[in-house]
Amino acid sequence: MPGWMDLAYTTAGGVVGAAVTNHLSRTQERRELRAAVMQQLLRVEAVRDEVYGIAPSRREGPARQPAGVRAPVAARFGAVAVLEDGRDAERAQREAVAELVAAALSAGVPRRVLDFAGGGAEHALRCEVLRAVDARLGGVLGAPLDELAVACEEYRQTTAQLLLGALWQPWRTRPRLRGRLRALRRDAAALHRMQEALESVLTGPQHLDALAERLRGSRSDQGAPRTDDGPGPAA
């Protein structure tokens, strides 16, 4: 009888120990996945913060984009948005968002939440590009650009907070998710209309000609060699 009791205790102890080990392992894994998402989210935000300006595009025509990828907004002005280290800002953002999506999906964040978070980052960067173009033209947009900047930042923060809620407190986020996504969809449509309106002003013939002249001047002043693609010196 004592032998059976010892065996029962040993077996029960082994089962409990395995369960505890499994729980601790999963907890550690979730922490690591969430940490990876936070790191990638900071990287996405850093792209916008590091926008240095615009540079003349070295392509003779518009660059071909992969299917489903929106053409860079700077390309509409014959320019490239560049970061402080000289990289293409819009390309860097696409790469950062792709890595954020991969990390967040692994952590269990719903894809539709990530779509809005990526859209928030995209709207914010597009606003920075418009700000850089407007600055090169001497500030022709005025108050509407400031209003757009405020709206873009509010939308970016809202989408980022939704992502964080889905990451850290999914049980609280899930019940209201559908309604919040509907509201974000309306906000995104309004932002798109605001951005299109300002872009239509900046892409007017007189502004495009003036911008092209200033970009050519900055290129010749710095003696940049012309190549097939990539940005020239930042303007």
Side-chain angles (χ1 to χ4, degrees):
M1 189 67 177
W4 285 103
M5 292 296 294
D6 291 342
L7 178 60
Y9 280 122
T10 301
T11 302
V15 171
V16 172
V20 171
T21 300
N22 186 50
H23 173 73
L24 293 176
S25 177
R26 289 186 176 182
T27 299
Q28 179 63 25
E29 182 181 5
R30 284 196 296 269
R31 288 176 179 173
E32 292 175 354
L33 290 173
R34 288 169 174 170
V37 174
M38 297 296 294
Q39 181 178 5
Q40 294 303 328
L41 182 60
L42 290 175
R43 182 186 170 198
V44 170
E45 294 177 355
V47 172
R48 181 207 57 187
D49 294 338
E50 294 175 6
V51 173
Y52 179 71
I54 57 172
S57 174
R58 291 175 175 175
R59 292 184 182 273
E60 295 295 343
R64 293 182 179 180
Q65 298 298 316
V69 176
R70 180 183 298 179
V73 61
R76 298 185 62 177
F77 304 99
V80 177
V82 293
L83 302 179
E84 294 174 356
D85 59 7
R87 289 181 298 147
D88 182 327
E90 294 181 89
R91 179 183 300 173
Q93 186 190 67
R94 287 196 301 271
E95 294 172 352
V97 169
E99 293 188 10
L100 170 64
V101 169
L105 287 175
S106 298
V109 177
R111 179 60 195 244
R112 51 186 177 168
V113 171
L114 294 172
D115 289 341
F116 281 94
E122 180 182 346
H123 280 299
L125 182 60
R126 287 169 70 87
C127 183
E128 290 301 317
V129 174
L130 293 180
R131 192 196 302 273
V133 172
D134 184 64
R136 292 298 297 166
L137 292 172
V140 299
L141 294 178
L145 179 59
D146 295 333
E147 294 172 2
L148 175 64
V150 171
C152 284
E153 179 59 16
E154 290 178 349
Y155 183 78
R156 185 198 65 79
Q157 290 185 11
T158 300
T159 56
Q161 289 169 2
L162 180 61
L163 187 157
L164 294 176
L167 178 67
W168 292 99
Q169 297 178 321
W171 62 92
R172 291 186 178 180
T173 303
R174 195 174 299 114
R176 297 185 299 163
L177 183 58
R178 183 173 298 179
R180 296 180 70 179
L181 292 181
R182 279 199 302 267
L184 286 174
R185 193 172 290 111
R186 290 193 297 268
D187 293 343
L191 272 181
H192 181 71
R193 289 192 295 269
M194 293 174 67
Q195 289 178 330
E196 286 293 321
L198 296 189
E199 286 180 27
S200 67
V201 173
L202 295 178
T203 53
Q206 71 278 20
H207 294 319
L208 282 181
D209 291 344
L211 181 63
E213 182 65 28
R214 295 182 185 187
L215 291 177
R216 282 195 298 268
S218 67
R219 173 186 288 161
S220 60
D221 289 344
Q222 299 184 39
R226 187 177 184 84
T227 56
D228 291 336
D229 57 8

